[in-house]
């Protein structure tokens, strides 16, 4: 179930490259992904898109201003050469807080959608979920996930600050080697949460209550060891960001400022669009 209500988070992350396109097509993208897992009807797709449009409208008014202000402040700190560990941590914590609570904006949509599903669709979801989990586990065991993770790290760092120095490259390589994301534990946790979800499938009200709570508190049903592993991973990631962003060259600082201002302009354009 987590795959459905967290797809919007993926939209927000992928929006780094072209936020306008990502947001404009978010409802269609999410409905398409939900269809992959539930084989939804045209009426369900229509209702889902309409509800999602309302959710994103709320996000534009409530969440985007926070992102805009944070990006502006970060750009100002970089331009004035006052970026330090505290300022990096503040920006990081805001992002993580938004990510952790992002699904709460889709709570009613998720509950209404799951209430519209039937037993056949839930069985389809069970089959699709199992296949996807098996594929993800194969990627992890074959090290495909590890290679893609490395590509993503370098992609996003270079997207914002340009060419990396040897020191920065070494820091990222060291982090990836010593602090990998707990991918296999994530699979185990996903199966655990899914098992709880499926236990509720024959009890409509309990199923809706589960989805409502899960969207409001995504970690509420997690395995304790997974929550702890993610917490530790985020702490190490924060340390990496601090070390990289406080060792920027003048050229990288300019690159970062220019990119932050571009993102601010994109966000403000999205916020102003009805």
């Amino acid at each position: 179930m987590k795959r459905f209500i967290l797809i919007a988070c993926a939209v927000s992350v992928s929006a780094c490259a072209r936020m306008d396109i990502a947001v404009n097509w978010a409802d269609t993208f999410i409905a398409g992904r939900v269809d992959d897992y539930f084989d939804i009807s045209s009426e369900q797709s229509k209702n889902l898109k309409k509800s999602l449009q309302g959710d994103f409208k709320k996000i534009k008014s409530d969440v985007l201003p926070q992102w805009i202000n944070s990006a502006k402040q970060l750009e100002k700190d970089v331009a004035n050469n006052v970026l330090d560990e505290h300022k990096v941590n503040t920006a990081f914590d805001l992002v993580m807080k938004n990510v952790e609570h992002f699904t709460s904006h889709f709570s009613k949509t998720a509950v209404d959608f799951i209430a519209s599903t039937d037993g056949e669709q839930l069985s389809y979801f069970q089959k699709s979920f199992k296949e996807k989990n098996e594929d993800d586990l194969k990627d992890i065991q074959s090290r495909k996930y590890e290679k893609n993770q490395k590509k993503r790290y370098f992609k996003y760092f270079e997207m914002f600050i340009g060419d990396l120095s040897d020191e920065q490259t070494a820091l990222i390589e060291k982090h990836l080697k010593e602090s990998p994301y707990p991918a296999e534990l994530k699979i185990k946790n996903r199966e655990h949460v899914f098992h709880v979800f499926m236990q509720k499938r024959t009890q409509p009200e309990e199923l809706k209550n589960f989805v409502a709570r899960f969207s409001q508190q995504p970690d509420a049903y997690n395995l304790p060891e997974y929550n702890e592993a993610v917490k530790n991973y985020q702490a190490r990631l924060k340390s990496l960001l601090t070390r990289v962003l406080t060792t920027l060259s003048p050229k990288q600082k300019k690159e970062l400022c220019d990119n932050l201002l571009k993102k601010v302009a994109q966000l403000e354009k999205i916020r102003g669009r009805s």
Side-chain angles (χ1 to χ4, degrees):
M1 186 58 206
K2 190 169 187 175
R3 287 188 173 277
F4 164 52
I5 57 177
L6 285 187
I7 287 171
C9 290
V11 173
S12 69
V13 173
S14 65
C16 288
R18 283 302 306 274
M19 296 181 189
D20 51 346
I21 294 176
V23 173
N24 285 344
W25 291 93
D27 59 329
T28 299
F29 172 76
I30 295 172
R33 291 297 304 274
V34 172
D35 185 43
D36 291 341
Y37 283 95
F38 288 90
D39 191 25
I40 61 179
S41 68
S42 57
E43 184 66 20
Q44 284 174 311
S45 179
K46 177 183 175 182
N47 292 336
L48 181 58
K49 289 178 183 178
K50 183 178 180 181
S51 186
L52 286 167
Q53 288 168 2
D55 295 334
F56 278 105
K57 185 176 181 179
K58 185 72 172 171
I59 287 170
K60 289 178 186 179
S61 63
D62 294 354
V63 180
L64 290 196
Q66 297 179 46
W67 293 356
I68 291 170
N69 291 336
S70 180
K72 284 182 175 178
Q73 184 60 54
L74 186 59
E75 189 278 331
K76 188 181 298 182
D77 292 337
V78 174
N80 293 330
N81 292 310
V82 293
L83 189 65
D84 57 20
E85 181 177 359
H86 173 72
K87 295 180 187 298
V88 174
N89 287 347
T90 298
F92 180 89
D93 289 342
L94 175 63
V95 171
M96 293 312 304
K97 178 182 177 182
N98 279 321
V99 169
E100 289 166 2
H101 295 283
F102 203 71
T103 55
S104 65
H105 300 285
F106 303 90
S107 182
K108 185 177 185 303
T109 294
V111 171
D112 289 346
F113 168 75
I114 209 65
S116 76
T117 59
D118 56 32
E120 187 174 335
Q121 288 177 318
L122 291 176
S123 294
Y124 188 95
F125 178 40
Q126 185 175 23
K127 178 176 178 290
S128 300
F129 179 90
K130 182 180 179 181
E131 290 174 352
K132 178 59 178 172
N133 247 23
E134 289 175 350
D135 288 342
D136 287 349
L137 188 57
K138 287 179 183 177
D139 286 347
I140 294 169
Q141 294 173 341
S142 68
R143 301 189 67 181
K144 181 179 179 181
Y145 175 88
E146 181 182 334
K147 293 176 183 177
N148 288 337
Q149 184 83 333
K150 181 176 179 178
K151 288 180 181 179
R152 282 193 292 269
Y153 263 73
F154 281 98
K155 173 185 175 181
Y156 286 115
F157 272 109
E158 292 171 353
M159 178 188 296
F160 281 96
I161 66 176
D163 293 336
L164 300 171
S165 68
D166 291 343
E167 178 188 3
Q168 292 163 344
T169 298
L171 284 172
I172 297 171
E173 294 275 10
K174 186 173 186 291
H175 169 83
L176 289 167
K177 182 179 179 180
E178 298 180 355
S179 307
Y181 186 79
E184 287 201 47
L185 184 54
K186 179 180 180 180
I187 296 290
K188 180 180 177 181
N189 183 71
R190 189 189 294 167
E191 291 173 342
H192 167 74
V193 176
F194 182 76
H195 178 68
V196 177
F197 169 80
M198 292 306 292
Q199 286 182 321
K200 311 288 186 181
R201 63 178 294 184
T202 59
Q203 305 168 70
E205 286 305 312
E206 285 198 25
L207 184 60
K208 288 193 292 184
N209 290 337
F210 168 87
V211 173
R213 187 186 178 199
F214 184 76
S215 59
Q216 295 289 336
Q217 299 173 278
D219 61 350
Y221 296 97
N222 285 349
L223 294 168
E225 59 265 35
Y226 178 67
N227 281 337
E228 184 65 21
V230 170
K231 179 181 177 182
N232 292 334
Y233 172 80
Q234 290 177 356
R236 293 190 290 266
L237 177 57
K238 184 191 295 189
S239 176
L240 171 67
L241 285 170
T242 298
R243 297 185 69 182
V244 172
L245 293 180
T246 54
T247 59
L248 298 179
S249 67
K251 182 180 179 181
Q252 288 176 325
K253 289 179 180 178
K254 183 180 185 306
E255 186 82 14
L256 179 55
C257 286
D258 289 345
N259 281 314
L260 285 170
L261 291 176
K262 286 179 183 177
K263 301 310 174 190
V264 166
Q266 287 179 332
L267 290 169
E268 288 182 330
K269 181 178 179 181
I270 293 168
R271 183 178 61 171
R273 189 184 297 126
S274 58

